[in-house]
Every structure is written in structure tokens, then in C-alpha cells.
Coordinates of all heavy atoms in Angstrom, one line a residue:
T893 N -7.2 3.2 -5.3 CA -6.6 3.4 -6.6 C -5.1 3.7 -6.5 O -4.7 4.3 -5.5 CB -7.3 4.5 -7.4 OG1 -7.5 5.6 -6.5 CG2 -8.5 4.1 -8.1
V894 N -4.4 3.3 -7.4 CA -3.0 3.5 -7.5 C -2.7 4.7 -8.3 O -3.0 4.8 -9.5 CB -2.2 2.2 -8.1 CG1 -0.8 2.5 -8.2 CG2 -2.4 1.0 -7.3
H895 N -2.1 5.7 -7.7 CA -1.6 6.9 -8.4 C -0.6 7.6 -7.6 O -0.3 7.3 -6.4 CB -2.8 7.8 -8.8 CG -3.6 8.3 -7.7 ND1 -3.3 9.3 -6.9 CD2 -4.8 7.8 -7.2 CE1 -4.3 9.5 -6.0 NE2 -5.2 8.6 -6.2
D896 N 0.0 8.7 -8.1 CA 1.0 9.5 -7.4 C 0.2 10.2 -6.3 O -0.9 10.8 -6.5 CB 1.6 10.5 -8.3 CG 2.4 9.8 -9.4 OD1 2.6 8.6 -9.4 OD2 2.9 10.5 -10.3
R897 N 0.9 10.3 -5.1 CA 0.3 11.0 -4.0 C 1.4 11.9 -3.3 O 2.6 11.6 -3.4 CB -0.2 10.0 -2.9 CG -1.3 9.1 -3.4 CD -1.7 8.0 -2.5 NE -2.6 7.1 -3.1 CZ -3.9 7.2 -3.2 NH1 -4.4 8.3 -2.6 NH2 -4.6 6.3 -3.8
M898 N 0.9 12.9 -2.7 CA 1.9 13.8 -2.1 C 1.6 13.8 -0.6 O 0.5 13.8 -0.1 CB 1.7 15.3 -2.6 CG 2.6 16.3 -2.0 SD 2.4 17.9 -2.8 CE 3.9 17.9 -3.8
Y899 N 2.8 13.8 0.2 CA 2.7 14.0 1.6 C 3.8 15.0 2.0 O 5.0 14.8 1.6 CB 3.0 12.7 2.3 CG 2.9 12.7 3.8 CD1 1.6 12.8 4.4 CD2 4.0 12.8 4.6 CE1 1.6 12.9 5.8 CE2 3.9 12.9 5.9 CZ 2.7 12.9 6.6 OH 2.7 13.0 7.9
G900 N 3.4 16.1 2.6 CA 4.3 17.1 2.8 C 4.8 17.7 1.5 O 3.9 18.0 0.7
L901 N 6.1 17.7 1.3 CA 6.6 18.3 0.0 C 7.1 17.1 -1.0 O 7.6 17.4 -2.0 CB 7.7 19.3 0.2 CG 7.3 20.5 1.0 CD1 8.5 21.4 1.3 CD2 6.2 21.3 0.3
K902 N 6.8 15.9 -0.5 CA 7.3 14.7 -1.3 C 6.2 14.1 -2.1 O 5.2 13.9 -1.5 CB 8.0 13.8 -0.3 CG 8.7 12.6 -1.1 CD 9.6 11.8 -0.2 CE 10.1 10.6 -0.8 NZ 11.0 10.8 -1.9
I903 N 6.5 13.7 -3.3 CA 5.6 12.9 -4.1 C 6.0 11.5 -4.1 O 7.1 11.1 -4.3 CB 5.6 13.5 -5.6 CG1 5.0 14.9 -5.6 CG2 4.7 12.5 -6.5 CD1 5.1 15.5 -7.0
Y904 N 5.0 10.6 -3.8 CA 5.2 9.2 -3.8 C 4.5 8.6 -5.0 O 3.3 8.6 -5.1 CB 4.7 8.6 -2.5 CG 5.4 9.0 -1.3 CD1 5.0 10.1 -0.5 CD2 6.6 8.4 -0.9 CE1 5.7 10.6 0.6 CE2 7.3 8.9 0.2 CZ 6.8 9.9 1.0 OH 7.5 10.3 2.1
P905 N 5.2 8.1 -6.0 CA 4.7 7.7 -7.2 C 4.0 6.3 -7.1 O 4.4 5.5 -6.3 CB 5.8 7.6 -8.2 CG 7.0 7.5 -7.4 CD 6.7 8.1 -6.1
M906 N 2.9 6.1 -7.9 CA 2.3 4.8 -8.0 C 2.0 4.1 -6.7 O 2.4 3.0 -6.5 CB 3.1 3.9 -8.9 CG 3.4 4.5 -10.3 SD 2.0 4.5 -11.3 CE 1.7 2.7 -11.5
C907 N 1.3 4.8 -5.8 CA 1.0 4.2 -4.5 C -0.5 4.1 -4.2 O -1.3 4.8 -4.9 CB 1.8 4.8 -3.4 SG 1.4 6.5 -3.1
F908 N -0.8 3.4 -3.1 CA -2.2 3.3 -2.7 C -2.2 3.5 -1.2 O -1.2 3.3 -0.5 CB -2.8 2.0 -3.1 CG -2.2 0.8 -2.6 CD1 -2.6 0.2 -1.4 CD2 -1.1 0.2 -3.3 CE1 -1.9 -1.0 -0.9 CE2 -0.5 -1.0 -2.8 CZ -0.9 -1.5 -1.6
V909 N -3.4 3.7 -0.6 CA -3.5 4.0 0.8 C -4.0 2.7 1.5 O -4.9 1.9 1.0 CB -4.6 5.1 1.1 CG1 -4.9 5.3 2.6 CG2 -4.2 6.4 0.4
G910 N -3.4 2.3 2.6 CA -3.7 1.1 3.3 C -5.2 1.0 3.6 O -5.8 -0.1 3.5
K911 N -5.8 2.0 4.1 CA -7.2 2.0 4.5 C -8.1 1.7 3.3 O -9.0 0.9 3.4 CB -7.6 3.3 5.1 CG -9.0 3.4 5.6 CD -9.3 4.7 6.3 CE -10.7 4.6 6.9 NZ -11.0 5.8 7.7
S912 N -7.8 2.3 2.1 CA -8.5 2.0 0.9 C -8.4 0.6 0.5 O -9.4 0.0 0.1 CB -8.1 2.9 -0.2 OG -8.3 4.3 0.1
M913 N -7.2 0.0 0.6 CA -7.1 -1.4 0.2 C -7.9 -2.3 1.1 O -8.5 -3.2 0.7 CB -5.6 -1.8 0.2 CG -5.4 -3.3 -0.1 SD -3.6 -3.7 -0.2 CE -3.7 -5.4 0.0
A914 N -7.8 -2.0 2.4 CA -8.5 -2.8 3.4 C -10.0 -2.7 3.1 O -10.7 -3.8 3.2 CB -8.2 -2.4 4.8
L915 N -10.6 -1.5 2.9 CA -12.0 -1.4 2.6 C -12.4 -2.2 1.3 O -13.4 -2.8 1.3 CB -12.3 0.1 2.4 CG -12.4 0.9 3.7 CD1 -12.6 2.4 3.4 CD2 -13.5 0.4 4.6
Y916 N -11.5 -2.2 0.3 CA -11.8 -2.9 -0.9 C -11.8 -4.4 -0.6 O -12.7 -5.1 -1.1 CB -10.7 -2.6 -2.0 CG -10.8 -3.6 -3.1 CD1 -11.7 -3.4 -4.1 CD2 -10.0 -4.7 -3.2 CE1 -11.9 -4.3 -5.2 CE2 -10.1 -5.6 -4.3 CZ -11.0 -5.4 -5.2 OH -11.2 -6.3 -6.3
L917 N -10.9 -4.9 0.2 CA -10.9 -6.3 0.5 C -12.1 -6.7 1.3 O -12.6 -7.8 1.1 CB -9.6 -6.7 1.3 CG -8.3 -6.5 0.6 CD1 -7.1 -6.6 1.6 CD2 -8.2 -7.5 -0.5
I918 N -12.6 -5.8 2.2 CA -13.8 -6.2 2.9 C -15.0 -6.1 2.0 O -15.9 -7.0 2.0 CB -13.9 -5.2 4.1 CG1 -12.7 -5.5 5.1 CG2 -15.3 -5.4 4.8 CD1 -12.5 -4.4 6.1
R919 N -15.2 -5.0 1.3 CA -16.4 -4.8 0.5 C -16.5 -5.9 -0.7 O -17.6 -6.2 -1.1 CB -16.4 -3.4 -0.2 CG -16.6 -2.3 0.8 CD -16.6 -1.0 0.3 NE -16.9 0.0 1.3 CZ -16.5 1.3 1.2 NH1 -15.8 1.7 0.2 NH2 -16.8 2.1 2.2
S920 N -15.4 -6.4 -1.1 CA -15.4 -7.3 -2.2 C -15.6 -8.8 -1.7 O -15.7 -9.7 -2.4 CB -14.2 -7.2 -3.1 OG -13.0 -7.6 -2.3
G921 N -15.6 -8.9 -0.4 CA -15.8 -10.2 0.3 C -14.6 -11.1 0.4 O -14.6 -12.2 0.8
I922 N -13.4 -10.5 0.1 CA -12.2 -11.2 0.2 C -11.8 -11.4 1.7 O -11.3 -12.5 2.1 CB -11.0 -10.5 -0.6 CG1 -11.3 -10.6 -2.1 CG2 -9.7 -11.2 -0.3 CD1 -10.5 -9.7 -2.9
C923 N -12.1 -10.3 2.5 CA -11.8 -10.4 3.9 C -13.1 -10.0 4.7 O -13.9 -9.3 4.1 CB -10.7 -9.4 4.3 SG -9.1 -9.8 3.6
A924 N -13.2 -10.6 5.9 CA -14.5 -10.4 6.7 C -14.4 -9.1 7.4 O -15.5 -8.5 7.7 CB -14.7 -11.6 7.6
D925 N -13.3 -8.7 7.8 CA -13.2 -7.4 8.7 C -11.8 -6.8 8.5 O -10.9 -7.3 7.8 CB -13.5 -7.8 10.1 CG -12.7 -8.9 10.7 OD1 -11.5 -9.0 10.3 OD2 -13.1 -9.6 11.6
K926 N -11.6 -5.7 9.3 CA -10.4 -5.0 9.2 C -9.2 -5.8 9.7 O -8.1 -5.8 9.0 CB -10.5 -3.7 10.1 CG -9.2 -2.9 10.2 CD -9.4 -1.8 11.2 CE -8.0 -1.2 11.5 NZ -8.0 -0.5 12.8
D927 N -9.3 -6.6 10.7 CA -8.2 -7.4 11.2 C -7.8 -8.4 10.1 O -6.6 -8.7 9.9 CB -8.6 -8.2 12.5 CG -8.7 -7.3 13.7 OD1 -8.1 -6.2 13.6 OD2 -9.4 -7.7 14.6
E928 N -8.8 -9.1 9.5 CA -8.4 -10.0 8.4 C -7.8 -9.3 7.2 O -6.8 -9.8 6.6 CB -9.7 -10.7 8.0 CG -9.4 -12.0 7.2 CD -10.7 -12.8 6.9 OE1 -11.4 -13.2 7.9 OE2 -11.0 -12.9 5.7
A929 N -8.2 -8.1 6.9 CA -7.6 -7.3 5.8 C -6.2 -6.9 6.1 O -5.3 -7.0 5.3 CB -8.5 -6.1 5.5
E930 N -5.9 -6.6 7.4 CA -4.5 -6.2 7.8 C -3.7 -7.5 7.7 O -2.5 -7.4 7.4 CB -4.6 -5.6 9.2 CG -5.1 -4.1 9.1 CD -5.0 -3.4 10.5 OE1 -5.0 -4.1 11.5 OE2 -5.0 -2.2 10.4
Y931 N -4.2 -8.6 8.2 CA -3.5 -9.8 8.2 C -3.1 -10.2 6.7 O -1.9 -10.5 6.4 CB -4.3 -11.0 8.7 CG -3.6 -12.3 8.7 CD1 -2.6 -12.6 9.7 CD2 -3.9 -13.3 7.8 CE1 -2.0 -13.9 9.6 CE2 -3.3 -14.5 7.7 CZ -2.3 -14.8 8.6 OH -1.7 -16.0 8.6
L932 N -4.0 -10.1 5.8 CA -3.7 -10.4 4.4 C -2.7 -9.3 3.8 O -1.8 -9.7 3.1 CB -5.0 -10.4 3.5 CG -4.8 -10.6 2.0 CD1 -4.1 -11.9 1.8 CD2 -6.2 -10.6 1.3
G933 N -2.9 -8.1 4.2 CA -1.9 -7.1 3.7 C -0.6 -7.4 4.2 O 0.4 -7.2 3.5
N934 N -0.4 -7.8 5.4 CA 0.9 -8.2 6.0 C 1.5 -9.4 5.3 O 2.7 -9.5 5.2 CB 0.9 -8.3 7.5 CG 0.9 -6.9 8.1 OD1 1.9 -6.2 8.0 ND2 -0.1 -6.6 8.9
M935 N 0.6 -10.3 4.9 CA 1.1 -11.5 4.2 C 1.7 -11.0 2.8 O 2.7 -11.5 2.4 CB 0.0 -12.5 3.9 CG -0.4 -13.2 5.2 SD -1.8 -14.4 5.0 CE -1.2 -15.5 3.7
L936 N 1.0 -10.1 2.2 CA 1.5 -9.5 0.9 C 2.8 -8.8 1.1 O 3.7 -8.8 0.3 CB 0.4 -8.6 0.3 CG -0.9 -9.2 -0.2 CD1 -1.9 -8.2 -0.5 CD2 -0.6 -10.1 -1.4
L937 N 2.9 -8.1 2.2 CA 4.1 -7.4 2.5 C 5.3 -8.3 2.8 O 6.3 -8.2 2.2 CB 3.8 -6.5 3.8 CG 4.9 -5.4 4.0 CD1 4.2 -4.0 4.2 CD2 5.7 -5.7 5.2
T938 N 5.0 -9.4 3.5 CA 6.1 -10.3 3.9 C 6.5 -11.1 2.6 O 7.6 -11.4 2.5 CB 5.5 -11.4 4.9 OG1 5.2 -10.6 6.1 CG2 6.5 -12.4 5.3
A939 N 5.5 -11.4 1.7 CA 5.8 -12.1 0.5 C 6.6 -11.2 -0.5 O 7.0 -11.6 -1.6 CB 4.6 -12.6 -0.1
G940 N 6.7 -9.9 -0.2 CA 7.4 -9.0 -1.2 C 6.5 -8.4 -2.3 O 7.1 -7.9 -3.3
I941 N 5.2 -8.6 -2.2 CA 4.3 -8.1 -3.2 C 4.1 -6.5 -3.1 O 4.1 -5.8 -4.1 CB 2.9 -8.8 -3.1 CG1 3.1 -10.3 -3.2 CG2 2.0 -8.3 -4.2 CD1 3.6 -10.9 -4.4
I942 N 3.9 -6.1 -1.8 CA 3.8 -4.7 -1.6 C 4.8 -4.2 -0.5 O 5.4 -5.1 0.2 CB 2.3 -4.4 -1.0 CG1 2.1 -5.0 0.3 CG2 1.3 -4.7 -2.1 CD1 0.8 -4.6 1.0
F943 N 5.0 -2.9 -0.4 CA 5.9 -2.4 0.7 C 5.4 -1.0 1.1 O 4.8 -0.3 0.2 CB 7.3 -2.4 0.2 CG 7.7 -1.5 -0.9 CD1 8.1 -0.2 -0.7 CD2 7.4 -1.9 -2.2 CE1 8.4 0.6 -1.8 CE2 7.7 -1.0 -3.3 CZ 8.2 0.3 -3.0
H944 N 5.7 -0.6 2.3 CA 5.4 0.8 2.7 C 6.4 1.7 2.0 O 7.6 1.3 1.9 CB 5.6 0.9 4.3 CG 5.3 2.2 4.8 ND1 6.4 3.0 5.1 CD2 4.2 3.0 5.0 CE1 5.9 4.2 5.5 NE2 4.5 4.2 5.4
V945 N 6.0 2.8 1.6 CA 6.8 3.7 0.7 C 8.1 4.1 1.4 O 9.1 4.4 0.7 CB 6.1 4.9 0.2 CG1 5.0 4.5 -0.8 CG2 5.5 5.8 1.3
C946 N 8.1 4.1 2.7 CA 9.3 4.5 3.5 C 9.9 3.3 4.2 O 10.9 3.5 5.0 CB 9.1 5.7 4.4 SG 8.6 7.2 3.6
D947 N 9.3 2.1 4.0 CA 9.7 0.9 4.8 C 9.8 1.1 6.3 O 10.6 0.6 7.0 CB 11.1 0.4 4.3 CG 11.1 -0.1 2.9 OD1 10.1 -0.8 2.5 OD2 12.1 0.1 2.1
E948 N 8.7 1.8 6.8 CA 8.6 2.1 8.2 C 7.5 1.4 8.9 O 7.4 1.5 10.1 CB 8.5 3.6 8.4 CG 9.8 4.4 8.0 CD 9.6 5.9 8.1 OE1 8.4 6.4 8.4 OE2 10.6 6.6 7.9
H949 N 6.5 0.8 8.2 CA 5.4 0.3 8.8 C 5.0 -1.1 8.2 O 5.3 -1.4 7.1 CB 4.2 1.2 8.6 CG 4.3 2.6 9.2 ND1 4.0 2.8 10.5 CD2 4.6 3.7 8.6 CE1 4.2 4.0 10.8 NE2 4.6 4.7 9.7
E950 N 4.4 -1.9 9.1 CA 3.8 -3.1 8.6 C 2.5 -2.6 7.9 O 2.2 -1.5 7.9 CB 3.5 -4.1 9.7 CG 2.6 -3.5 10.8 CD 2.4 -4.5 12.0 OE1 3.2 -5.4 12.1 OE2 1.4 -4.3 12.7
F951 N 1.7 -3.5 7.3 CA 0.5 -3.1 6.7 C -0.5 -2.8 7.7 O -0.8 -3.6 8.6 CB -0.1 -4.2 5.7 CG -1.3 -3.7 5.0 CD1 -1.2 -2.9 3.9 CD2 -2.6 -3.9 5.5 CE1 -2.3 -2.4 3.3 CE2 -3.7 -3.5 4.9 CZ -3.6 -2.7 3.8
K952 N -1.1 -1.6 7.6 CA -2.2 -1.1 8.5 C -3.3 -0.5 7.7 O -3.0 0.1 6.6 CB -1.6 -0.1 9.5 CG -0.5 -0.6 10.4 CD 0.0 0.6 11.2 CE 1.2 0.1 12.0 NZ 1.8 1.2 12.8
A953 N -4.5 -0.7 8.1 CA -5.7 -0.1 7.4 C -5.8 1.4 7.9 O -6.7 1.8 8.6 CB -6.9 -0.9 7.8
E954 N -4.8 2.1 7.5 CA -4.7 3.5 7.9 C -4.3 4.4 6.7 O -4.1 3.8 5.6 CB -3.7 3.7 9.1 CG -4.0 3.0 10.3 CD -3.0 3.1 11.4 OE1 -2.0 3.9 11.2 OE2 -3.2 2.4 12.4
R955 N -4.1 5.7 6.9 CA -3.7 6.5 5.8 C -2.2 6.5 5.6 O -1.5 7.5 5.8 CB -4.2 8.0 6.0 CG -4.2 8.8 4.8 CD -4.8 10.2 4.9 NE -4.9 10.9 3.7 CZ -3.9 11.5 3.1 NH1 -2.7 11.5 3.7 NH2 -4.1 12.1 1.9
L956 N -1.7 5.3 5.3 CA -0.3 5.1 5.0 C -0.2 4.6 3.6 O -1.1 3.9 3.0 CB 0.2 4.0 5.9 CG 0.2 4.3 7.4 CD1 0.6 3.1 8.3 CD2 1.1 5.4 7.7
Y957 N 0.9 5.0 2.9 CA 1.1 4.8 1.5 C 1.9 3.5 1.3 O 3.0 3.3 2.0 CB 1.8 5.9 0.8 CG 1.1 7.2 0.8 CD1 1.7 8.4 0.7 CD2 -0.3 7.3 1.0 CE1 1.1 9.6 0.6 CE2 -0.9 8.5 1.0 CZ -0.3 9.6 0.9 OH -0.9 10.9 0.8
Y958 N 1.4 2.7 0.4 CA 2.1 1.4 0.0 C 2.2 1.4 -1.5 O 1.5 2.0 -2.2 CB 1.3 0.2 0.5 CG 1.2 0.2 2.0 CD1 0.1 0.8 2.6 CD2 2.1 -0.5 2.8 CE1 0.0 0.8 4.0 CE2 2.0 -0.5 4.2 CZ 0.9 0.2 4.7 OH 0.8 0.2 6.1
R959 N 3.2 0.6 -2.0 CA 3.4 0.4 -3.4 C 3.5 -1.1 -3.7 O 3.9 -1.9 -2.8 CB 4.7 1.0 -3.9 CG 4.7 2.5 -4.0 CD 5.9 3.1 -4.5 NE 5.8 2.9 -6.0 CZ 6.8 3.2 -6.8 NH1 8.0 3.7 -6.4 NH2 6.6 3.1 -8.1
F960 N 3.2 -1.5 -4.9 CA 3.4 -2.8 -5.4 C 4.9 -2.8 -5.9 O 5.3 -1.9 -6.6 CB 2.5 -3.2 -6.6 CG 1.0 -3.4 -6.1 CD1 0.1 -2.4 -6.2 CD2 0.7 -4.6 -5.6 CE1 -1.2 -2.6 -5.8 CE2 -0.6 -4.9 -5.2 CZ -1.6 -3.8 -5.2
H961 N 5.6 -3.9 -5.6 CA 7.0 -4.0 -6.0 C 7.1 -4.0 -7.5 O 8.0 -3.4 -8.1 CB 7.7 -5.3 -5.5 CG 8.3 -5.0 -4.2 ND1 9.5 -4.3 -4.0 CD2 7.9 -5.3 -2.9 CE1 9.8 -4.2 -2.7 NE2 8.9 -4.8 -2.0
I962 N 6.1 -4.5 -8.2 CA 6.2 -4.5 -9.7 C 6.1 -3.1 -10.2 O 6.7 -2.8 -11.2 CB 5.0 -5.4 -10.3 CG1 5.3 -5.6 -11.8 CG2 3.6 -4.7 -10.1 CD1 4.5 -6.7 -12.3
D963 N 5.4 -2.2 -9.6 CA 5.4 -0.8 -10.0 C 6.8 -0.1 -9.7 O 7.1 0.8 -10.4 CB 4.3 0.0 -9.3 CG 2.9 -0.4 -9.8 OD1 2.8 -0.9 -10.9 OD2 1.9 -0.2 -9.0
E964 N 7.4 -0.5 -8.7 CA 8.8 0.0 -8.4 C 9.7 -0.3 -9.5 O 10.5 0.5 -10.0 CB 9.3 -0.6 -7.1 CG 10.6 -0.2 -6.6 CD 10.6 1.3 -6.1 OE1 9.6 1.9 -5.9 OE2 11.7 1.7 -5.8
R965 N 9.7 -1.6 -10.0 CA 10.6 -2.0 -11.1 C 10.2 -1.2 -12.4 O 11.0 -0.8 -13.1 CB 10.5 -3.5 -11.3 CG 11.2 -4.3 -10.2 CD 11.3 -5.7 -10.5 NE 10.0 -6.4 -10.7 CZ 9.3 -6.9 -9.8 NH1 9.7 -7.0 -8.5 NH2 8.2 -7.6 -10.1
T966 N 8.9 -1.1 -12.6 CA 8.4 -0.4 -13.8 C 8.9 1.1 -13.7 O 9.3 1.6 -14.7 CB 6.9 -0.5 -13.9 OG1 6.5 -1.9 -14.0 CG2 6.4 0.2 -15.2
D967 N 8.7 1.7 -12.6 CA 9.0 3.1 -12.4 C 10.5 3.3 -12.6 O 10.9 4.3 -13.3 CB 8.6 3.6 -11.0 CG 8.7 5.1 -10.9 OD1 8.2 5.8 -11.8 OD2 9.2 5.5 -9.9
A968 N 11.3 2.4 -12.1 CA 12.8 2.6 -12.2 C 13.2 2.4 -13.7 O 14.2 3.0 -14.1 CB 13.4 1.5 -11.3
S969 N 12.6 1.6 -14.4 CA 13.0 1.3 -15.8 C 12.6 2.5 -16.7 O 13.1 2.6 -17.8 CB 12.3 0.0 -16.3 OG 10.9 0.2 -16.5
N970 N 11.7 3.4 -16.2 CA 11.3 4.5 -17.0 C 12.2 5.7 -16.8 O 12.0 6.8 -17.4 CB 9.9 4.9 -16.8 CG 8.9 3.9 -17.3 OD1 9.2 3.2 -18.3 ND2 7.7 3.7 -16.7
E971 N 13.2 5.6 -15.9 CA 14.0 6.8 -15.6 C 15.2 6.9 -16.5 O 15.6 6.0 -17.1 CB 14.5 6.8 -14.1 CG 13.3 6.9 -13.2 CD 13.7 6.9 -11.8 OE1 14.9 6.7 -11.4 OE2 12.8 7.0 -10.9

């Protein structure tokens, strides 16, 4: 699910966890396994659909936070 998350003392708005997205892709039958889910996640990252909240990681099925670029534009317009 997409919602605000906290890591340390910083809040990352409107983000999701890479591991959760990978599990969703597998459980819904979109991807066969973790490797395929990571491949698809990296395709979305390369296409500019999603990004790591600190721009430090490629897509990984781990407890890393990602955002949709559309949410970034929406969040910026609300400030």
C-alpha cells in the first residue's frame, strides 16, 4: 500500500515497500518469482514510473521505499 512511512526521523510521503510490491506482482500472477518481479520493478524505474525515495537503489524486493513519480508531482502541487 502507498502511504507515508517513517525511517529514522524522516517521513517519506506517499511511498511503498519494494518487497510488498514484489509479493503483489507474484501473488497476482503478473510475475512468476522474485527475480521477475525485480526485473519488472527495474523496468518501471528505468521508464520513470517509480523511483527510490533517496535515488540510491535500483528496484529490489527488500524493505526499501519507492514512490510513483505521479505522486511526487501531486505532492509538490499541494505545497
Side-chain angles (χ1 to χ4, degrees):
T893 43
V894 175
H895 58 82
D896 297 352
R897 297 172 190 275
M898 181 175 255
Y899 182 77
L901 298 176
K902 183 166 173 72
I903 295 174
Y904 295 95
M906 302 290 294
C907 62
F908 61 91
V909 178
K911 184 174 183 175
S912 297
M913 180 177 159
L915 286 173
Y916 170 80
L917 292 170
I918 295 164
R919 289 179 180 156
S920 65
I922 295 169
C923 295
D925 56 29
K926 178 185 165 202
D927 289 339
E928 196 173 300
E930 286 183 337
Y931 178 78
L932 179 56
N934 278 302
M935 287 178 56
L936 293 170
L937 196 130
T938 300
I941 306 296
I942 65 171
F943 65 98
H944 178 258
V945 294
C946 296
D947 291 323
E948 295 177 352
H949 297 279
E950 61 184 18
F951 182 82
K952 299 177 187 175
E954 298 176 7
R955 195 172 189 283
L956 297 171
Y957 298 159
Y958 299 88
R959 288 185 79 184
F960 288 97
H961 271 284
I962 194 162
D963 290 335
E964 180 76 2
R965 290 190 298 270
T966 303
D967 190 46
S969 68
N970 290 332
E971 292 180 0

